[in-house]
Amino acid sequence: MTEKKIALTIKEMESGLGRIKDLSISIGKLSAADWAEPEGPTPYPSLTTLRSWDRTLLSRYQPFYMPFCDLCCLCTYGKCDLTGTKKGACGITMPAQQSRIVLLSACIGAATHTSHARELVTYAIKKAGRDCPINPGGNAIGVEAPVIRLVCGEKPEILADLETILDYCESQITALLAVTHTGQEGDPLDFESKVLHAGMIDQVGMEVADLAQISALGYPKADPDAPLAALGMGNVDTTKPVILVIGHNVPPSVAIIDYLHKEHLSDQVEVTGICCTSIDATRYSPRAKIIGPMSWQLRYIRSGIPDVIVVDEQRIRTDALAEATKIHAPFIATSEKNCLGLPDRTRDPTDAIVSDLSSGRQAGVLILDPEKAGEVAVRVARTVAPIRKTTSFSIDPVTIQTQAATCTQCRLCQRACPNDLKIPAGMKAAGAGDLSVLAGLYEACVGCGRCEQACTREIPVHSLIVAAATERTRDEKFTIRTGRGAIQDIEIRNVGGPIVLGEIPGVVAFVGCANYANGGKEVAEMAVEFAKRRYIVCTSGCAAMSIGMYRDEEGKTPYEQFPGSFTAGGIVNVGSCVSNAHIAGATIKIASIFARRNLRGNYAEIADYVHNRVGAVGVSWGAMSQKASAIAAGFWRLGIPVVVGPHGTKYRRMLLGRADHDADWYVHDERTGEDVYAGPAPEHLFVAAETKEEAMVLVAKLCMRPNDTTRGRAMKLTHYIDLSQRNLGTIPDDIPRYIRTTADIPVTLKGEITKILAQSDWKERPIPDPTLLSRDKPSPHKER
């Protein structure tokens, strides 16, 4: 039995009370017998419902702390020194404080996605009605909300059903934030359990958000052949008025596109975007163009190309208004969460707002009505563009040389740079007339602008780097596959068996921000490498953009080289940040569709299945934001490892396994009823890699699972060893830990591996039917 909410909308009706128009009625929650799946043990779990499962994971993957700061400054007892064995005035220890900060980060991320979801559901209901069916893929999707089914035990059918799910998410985030108060939780592992809970709630919020916008806005519905969209600054027709949208909440972008369509202006104005709102805009209209990830904000605004800038929420530079003012581009903020000190003109006449922005009487305004913001943006852009096009904001080579020559070589810019770019050398060469060294920094620049803040001569360092690479930016014309949304059930049926048995070596998800150590090309190179090796590659958000900004020898982007289907060798762009839920949902659906495990409120069993049998790994190579932290935590609770780039160490802790601690790697064999050693598969739950090469080797290793067949394990070992030899120049020294029987040995490497086994104390062991749930107790926590 399921509970179902009935929503009714009356457009117009005559009654004894008078004429009634646009009346919406919600009739409680009625019992409906249309879902045969029995309810599991944990629907709507509280903070401690899944604590036992969390501690099972955390006993194997113990937190390794890397304090970013030795002090706690969160209350007025402090600041408190927590070095060594010292405690804070409230009694908190350094490990607990680090876990507390991680929990705060995960809560911020989960709150951001859930708040975003609430706005999207409200907007979708207003646009399509409360009884609008939830439709992520028509007949191609039978399990339409796997995360919600798993966590909440609900089967949402109409938009109104999503409100109850959000009520739950919001209550849990409030409770989790309460945990971080002074004098609440004190145990590091209980903090960590709550981090995992925040990640799970984040996945629910993301799924709600994308289900709402897919259903109401007509996005591609689980379409493997979703169209290609334009990506890169070179695609912008600068002779037209150009609107730039920045953020993650698509309603203002939709309103701009709708107004252009209504006024027959679609081919006369360019709608361009940065970050996830641009991905979602291309899901709504093929005319929208993606400029790039968050790191491209400064370079694109300072180019002077945008005539009007519209921002919504999330990962927007907080100095975007100041940067827009420098290029005389009218600015429109559209979110309560990002008002930027602007006057609220929401209720003012549209003509008056257009006049004030076009004349420059106001540099920017706050408009909280998406439709009004859309109309204002278009009208202002068409008014100011002819004037702005007469002014060039580009920096010519002579100016670059002149400004670079004022550099004193103090090296403060390089010290401030998160990637330690050799800026002084570039400035010195540019000052002498050679711009190539400065231009060479372009790829690895993350656009933070810290170099400029550090410069004592007030040189616009970032702008000079971009200007030196003008030829490259002019030619940046790429393609990205429009976000397809969910994975079809038939795709899961086709690959579920091969994934679980190990015959498809793994599912690798490239997600997260653009805070790369060596530029986005590394993400593209890793994605292409794994696609060529017949892994299933999934992606979303900024990582999806970075993958598209790469061409092979034939001039094709990865989205043109590889199919968009969830199959071996596919590169699957699910969409924006909130679409990450579909990647988690795919692993969950493997347990449901292939293994026929019940999803409904049955979290621990499904997470145990995914962890032991589904070779999935997340890669957040440029992880930066609190949202990325929350997204990763959601994958951890499902038992899916996540690899981050070198900047990921700033999240303060990793979740590392110890391959040499044999006691940590026992599983319960459901065939024999015995506890057996299964090897460190996967070895880590959260780990940072210093280089792209190290990351690829790690990913191949972390795709191994206790359930792998001999054929599957041999295939995974082949990739692991080959990647290690190619990238690190050696055969991994832990190979004996992953060979259970001689049938696991790759045929082409049999001679070498046999010698390695002979030199170790390797012994053949059985291949289990693994679970962590049936063991009486998890391995005891050991201090590292």
Side-chain angles (χ1 to χ4, degrees):
M1 300 286 285
T2 63
E3 292 185 330
K4 184 177 179 182
K5 184 181 289 185
I6 304 298
L8 175 66
T9 301
I10 299 173
K11 291 295 183 182
E12 187 169 353
M13 181 180 72
E14 292 281 356
S15 75
L17 298 174
R19 177 174 292 179
I20 299 173
K21 297 184 70 175
D22 296 325
L23 174 65
S24 294
I25 302 173
S26 178
I27 309 175
K29 295 189 75 180
L30 303 180
S31 180
D34 59 351
W35 192 13
E37 187 170 317
E39 186 170 80
T42 59
Y44 290 111
S46 71
L47 271 60
T48 56
T49 303
L50 295 167
R51 182 172 180 256
S52 176
W53 167 248
D54 296 339
R55 292 185 78 94
T56 296
L57 286 175
L58 293 167
S59 67
R60 174 177 279 193
Y61 305 104
Q62 298 172 24
F64 179 80
Y65 296 106
M66 300 166 290
F68 208 47
C69 174
D70 293 331
L71 305 175
C72 175
C73 311
L74 286 182
C75 80
T76 59
Y77 273 147
K79 47 191 176 179
C80 292
D81 181 1
L82 300 181
T83 55
T85 59
K86 295 177 183 177
K87 297 180 180 180
C90 69
I92 201 165
T93 63
M94 177 65 85
Q97 172 65 5
Q98 297 309 301
S99 293
R100 180 190 190 194
I101 297 298
V102 175
L103 176 57
L104 272 171
S105 177
C107 285
I108 293 169
T112 303
H113 281 140
T114 301
S115 174
H116 179 196
R118 176 65 77 176
E119 287 194 24
L120 279 176
V121 169
T122 301
Y123 173 78
I125 287 174
K126 180 180 179 182
K127 195 171 185 72
R130 296 179 62 82
D131 55 352
C132 172
I134 291 173
N135 179 18
N139 294 331
I141 301 288
V143 183
E144 72 292 321
V147 178
I148 293 171
R149 291 188 184 206
L150 178 63
V151 176
C152 302
E154 296 279 7
K155 182 184 177 184
E157 296 180 347
I158 58 176
L159 288 178
D161 293 337
L162 298 176
E163 294 180 311
T164 301
I165 308 300
L166 288 176
D167 290 343
Y168 164 69
C169 292
E170 289 159 353
S171 71
Q172 294 302 292
I173 292 169
T174 300
L176 287 164
L177 278 170
V179 171
T180 65
H181 191 276
T182 302
Q184 289 273 49
E185 189 62 78
D187 179 73
L189 290 192
D190 274 321
F191 267 126
E192 296 291 349
S193 172
K194 293 172 174 68
V195 170
L196 302 187
H197 192 71
M200 181 192 72
I201 297 302
D202 183 62
Q203 286 190 342
V204 176
M206 288 191 295
E207 186 172 76
V208 168
D210 216 34
L211 288 176
Q213 60 183 6
I214 289 172
S215 302
L217 299 179
Y219 288 177
K221 293 179 167 52
D223 182 7
D225 298 315
L228 295 173
L231 169 66
M233 290 172 62
N235 288 299
V236 182
D237 184 349
T238 57
T239 64
K240 299 178 182 178
V242 178
I243 298 173
L244 167 62
V245 293
I246 312 175
H248 285 69
N249 199 11
V250 80
S253 302
V254 168
I256 291 169
I257 293 166
D258 284 350
Y259 182 79
L260 288 170
H261 178 73
K262 184 182 73 171
E263 298 297 322
H264 306 290
L265 298 171
S266 297
D267 61 346
Q268 297 180 37
V269 176
E270 291 278 70
V271 180
T272 66
I274 286 175
C275 255
C276 283
T277 197
S278 63
I279 289 183
D280 284 338
T282 64
R283 296 167 86 183
Y284 187 69
S285 168
R287 290 185 177 274
K289 296 176 180 178
I290 300 172
I291 298 304
M294 174 190 176
S295 56
W296 285 42
Q297 289 184 59
L298 279 183
R299 68 184 68 172
Y300 187 49
I301 294 174
R302 290 183 181 181
S303 72
I305 294 173
D307 294 304
V308 170
I309 298 174
V310 181
V311 301
D312 46 81
E313 61 167 307
Q314 302 175 34
R315 292 200 296 198
I316 300 161
R317 287 190 63 94
T318 55
D319 61 353
L321 173 59
E323 292 291 336
T325 302
K326 292 177 185 177
I327 64 165
H328 312 296
F331 191 93
I332 303 172
T334 63
S335 172
E336 293 178 333
K337 301 163 204 162
N338 187 27
C339 299
L340 296 172
L342 294 168
D344 187 351
R345 303 291 302 273
T346 306
R347 299 181 183 277
D348 292 354
T350 302
D351 290 347
I353 304 172
V354 170
S355 176
D356 287 344
L357 287 174
S358 300
S359 65
R361 284 190 295 271
Q362 285 188 319
V365 296
L366 174 67
I367 305 177
L368 299 177
D369 177 349
E371 281 69 32
K372 179 174 282 189
E375 179 180 349
V376 169
V378 172
R379 291 176 58 186
V380 172
R382 298 187 73 217
T383 301
V384 302
I387 302 171
R388 293 191 71 262
K389 301 302 184 190
T390 62
T391 303
S392 174
F393 295 92
S394 62
I395 303 176
D396 60 75
V398 174
T399 303
I400 297 173
Q401 181 176 355
T402 301
Q403 293 190 328
T406 66
C407 173
T408 63
Q409 297 291 299
C410 68
R411 301 178 63 84
L412 291 177
C413 55
Q414 185 170 340
R415 293 192 189 100
C417 176
N419 285 340
D420 192 33
L421 296 182
K422 305 300 186 287
I423 300 171
M427 299 294 281
K428 185 175 182 179
D434 178 8
L435 304 186
S436 63
V437 180
L438 201 58
L441 305 177
Y442 177 82
E443 172 65 31
C445 177
V446 297
C448 65
R450 287 173 59 175
C451 52
E452 297 184 355
Q453 298 300 314
C455 182
T456 57
R457 302 303 299 270
E458 298 184 352
I459 300 170
V461 180
H462 175 70
S463 294
L464 297 190
I465 293 172
V466 176
T470 295
E471 289 187 12
R472 173 174 174 171
T473 58
R474 188 188 301 122
D475 296 331
E476 283 180 330
K477 296 181 180 181
F478 305 104
T479 58
I480 180 174
R481 192 170 299 283
T482 298
R484 57 166 285 172
I487 309 303
Q488 295 182 7
D489 291 13
I490 187 63
E491 292 175 289
I492 298 295
R493 291 190 185 96
N494 289 338
V495 302
I499 290 173
V500 171
L501 300 177
E503 293 163 5
I504 289 176
V507 180
V508 187
F510 291 94
V511 302
C513 320
N515 189 24
Y516 308 124
N518 294 297
K521 186 178 180 181
E522 290 193 335
V523 179
E525 290 172 339
M526 287 191 283
V528 167
E529 179 68 31
F530 283 107
K532 286 181 177 178
R533 290 175 179 268
R534 306 288 290 167
Y535 288 74
I536 299 173
V537 176
C538 296
T539 188
S540 65
C542 288
M545 300 179 203
S546 296
I547 289 172
M549 293 178 175
Y550 169 88
R551 292 188 184 275
D552 66 1
E553 297 80 4
E554 298 178 5
K556 294 182 178 180
T557 65
Y559 297 106
E560 295 167 302
Q561 297 174 54
F562 301 96
S565 52
F566 192 78
T567 189
I571 295 184
V572 185
N573 178 22
V574 292
S576 56
C577 279
V578 293
S579 305
N580 277 306
H582 301 307
I583 301 175
T587 66
I588 293 166
K589 287 171 71 168
I590 290 171
S592 171
I593 294 172
F594 168 71
R596 300 186 182 279
R597 303 285 180 103
N598 287 342
L599 294 188
R600 189 179 182 188
N602 192 28
Y603 194 93
E605 181 183 347
I606 298 303
D608 178 71
Y609 182 93
V610 170
H611 178 64
N612 283 295
R613 301 168 191 269
V614 180
V617 177
V619 181
S620 191
W621 195 237
M624 174 276 293
S625 68
Q626 294 85 8
K627 296 200 309 171
S629 174
I631 291 168
F635 283 104
W636 300 333
R637 198 175 221 184
L638 283 171
I640 297 174
V642 175
V643 178
V644 291
H647 289 307
T649 57
K650 298 170 189 174
Y651 280 123
R652 292 177 171 82
R653 69 99 174 86
M654 301 286 111
L655 296 172
L656 305 179
R658 286 287 298 269
D660 58 327
H661 286 198
D662 289 352
D664 290 349
W665 305 106
Y666 277 74
V667 299
H668 187 77
D669 188 342
E670 293 193 300
R671 278 193 297 267
T672 66
E674 297 179 354
D675 285 357
V676 298
Y677 176 74
E683 183 179 0
H684 305 298
L685 203 55
F686 184 44
V687 60
E690 285 296 316
T691 65
K692 172 195 71 174
E693 292 75 20
E694 181 187 347
M696 289 194 290
V697 175
L698 263 174
V699 168
K701 178 165 71 169
L702 295 175
C703 280
M704 284 187 266
R705 294 295 183 273
N707 188 67
D708 295 337
T709 61
T710 55
R711 179 182 175 187
R713 179 58 63 89
M715 181 182 297
K716 292 183 180 184
L717 282 168
T718 298
H719 292 297
Y720 176 38
I721 294 169
D722 184 60
L723 282 166
S724 182
Q725 287 180 311
R726 289 173 182 267
N727 293 293
L728 305 181
T730 183
I731 293 179
D733 58 10
D734 57 359
I735 289 299
R737 298 187 185 277
Y738 296 103
I739 296 177
R740 303 154 303 177
T741 75
T742 54
D744 286 345
I745 302 174
V747 174
T748 57
L749 298 167
K750 199 170 187 67
E752 290 177 89
I753 301 303
T754 300
K755 290 179 183 178
I756 293 172
L757 296 181
Q759 295 168 1
S760 69
D761 59 354
W762 178 83
K763 294 179 182 178
E764 193 164 294
R765 60 183 188 271
I767 300 173
D769 183 11
T771 178
L772 297 181
L773 296 180
S774 299
R775 302 187 66 200
D776 292 335
K777 295 180 181 178
S779 300
H781 175 65
K782 304 178 185 69
E783 293 295 333
R784 294 275 171 83

